[in-house]
Amino acid sequence: MLVSARSFDEYRAMFALTDDDLRLRVLDCPGGAASFVAEAGARGTDAVAVDPQYGPGRELLGTLALREIEHKHAYVADNAERFVWDWFGGPERYTRLRAASARAFTADLAARPDRYVAGSLPDLPFADRSFDLVLSSHLLFSYGAQLSEEFHLSALLELVRVARREVRLFPVVLHTSDRRYEALDRLRAALDALGVPSRLNRVDYAFQPGGDEALVLDVADRGPLPAERPGAGAHDPVRWRHLGAGEPAADPVR
């Protein structure tokens, strides 16, 4: 799987993020070399990224992302007809934005290393309901041909476990085609049976043909999940400011 370097603006479009969403505690899983946490943090958002590549050697991720961006630029330029350019405008802007994102990620990783946590699905190093909003792009469903349906369900349950309000996933098509992941309806039914309703939302972003839908899981009213376990996240590497300050008096208007 490639090291991606998507920007804050891409995240806003992919996940239809509002200003109210950005006032919440947000997890990006997996984060790759995206600049979402860096740019959102500069705007005051309490955001963290988790990725299996944030372990030893993670300082090289930005460089690896830049190399992949350079390689992919030649591919997308030569195969421009295979992509949707409404959002990017063309291959040159695509490459420029992705490179800027990789550089912003590298700088923020050095400046705020605690915001980049090593961990992987389906076993994240966070306590239950640690985040208001969980974002996940270009792993689940995208790699449906490589990752089993059982893995998908376990991973979805883990994302739900660490969320308090919503989980948003983008896209719901395979990365090699414009087809929805074939087990999507079965997974949604399994989640619904556990008290986690879902919906598909059309968003104002696409790079793949057909890839303009996000799956939203509503976790606000759910009960306990099989994935939850006593003491989970007791050694949480992220010590949230809000834990010492108590919960806010009221949620932002949605």
Side-chain angles (χ1 to χ4, degrees):
M1 296 180 189
L2 301 178
V3 181
S4 63
R6 294 178 176 87
S7 69
F8 174 85
D9 287 336
E10 282 187 78
Y11 271 64
R12 287 208 75 156
M14 290 189 301
F15 296 111
L17 295 174
T18 66
D19 289 344
D20 285 337
D21 292 330
L22 295 170
R23 296 187 184 101
L24 303 175
R25 297 183 291 276
V26 184
L27 176 67
D28 180 15
C29 175
S35 64
F36 172 74
V37 167
E39 296 184 73
R43 291 164 169 80
T45 301
D46 201 355
V48 162
V50 62
D51 195 290
Q53 299 188 81
Y54 292 164
R58 65 184 189 168
E59 67 278 0
L60 300 177
L61 276 181
T63 299
L64 292 175
L66 286 170
R67 289 175 183 170
E68 289 183 3
I69 291 163
E70 181 179 357
H71 172 76
K72 191 166 185 180
H73 173 74
Y75 178 81
V76 298
D78 291 342
N79 298 274
E81 72 283 355
R82 298 187 180 185
F83 301 97
V84 178
W85 296 106
D86 293 348
W87 196 87
F88 283 108
E92 294 298 331
R93 183 170 181 268
Y94 164 87
T95 299
R96 185 170 65 253
L97 291 177
R98 290 289 175 88
S101 182
R103 289 191 289 269
F105 161 80
T106 300
D108 198 56
L109 179 66
R112 303 190 308 156
D114 59 309
R115 291 286 162 167
Y116 298 88
V117 179
S120 61
L121 291 168
D123 187 15
L124 299 176
F126 305 112
D128 298 344
R129 304 176 192 258
S130 288
F131 302 90
D132 297 308
L133 176 61
V134 175
L135 310 176
S136 184
S137 79
H138 297 88
L139 175 66
L140 300 179
F141 316 135
S142 292
Y143 287 90
Q146 291 82 18
L147 302 172
S148 70
E149 185 174 341
E150 291 75 19
F151 175 87
H152 275 74
L153 182 57
S154 295
L156 289 168
L157 288 173
E158 183 69 349
L159 295 174
V160 167
R161 180 185 70 78
V162 301
R164 291 181 61 238
R165 293 189 178 191
E166 284 186 351
V167 177
R168 301 182 194 177
L169 303 105
F170 179 89
V172 296
V173 295
L174 300 175
H175 77 97
T176 54
S177 77
D178 59 358
R179 293 185 295 108
R180 282 184 183 174
Y181 175 60
E182 64 178 10
L184 181 62
D185 289 342
R186 289 196 297 272
L187 292 171
R188 293 180 66 190
L191 291 170
D192 190 64
L194 293 169
V196 182
S198 63
R199 64 186 185 275
L200 285 167
N201 284 353
R202 190 86 58 187
V203 298
D204 294 327
Y205 175 95
F207 187 51
Q208 294 173 253
D212 61 351
E213 290 181 306
L215 179 67
V216 180
L217 311 181
D218 183 356
V219 305
D221 298 322
R222 71 168 175 81
L225 292 172
E228 292 181 330
R229 50 202 184 274
H235 301 291
D236 191 335
V238 178
R239 300 302 176 188
W240 293 99
R241 294 190 298 273
H242 74 273
L243 292 180
E247 290 293 329
D251 289 338
V253 177
R254 299 291 297 200

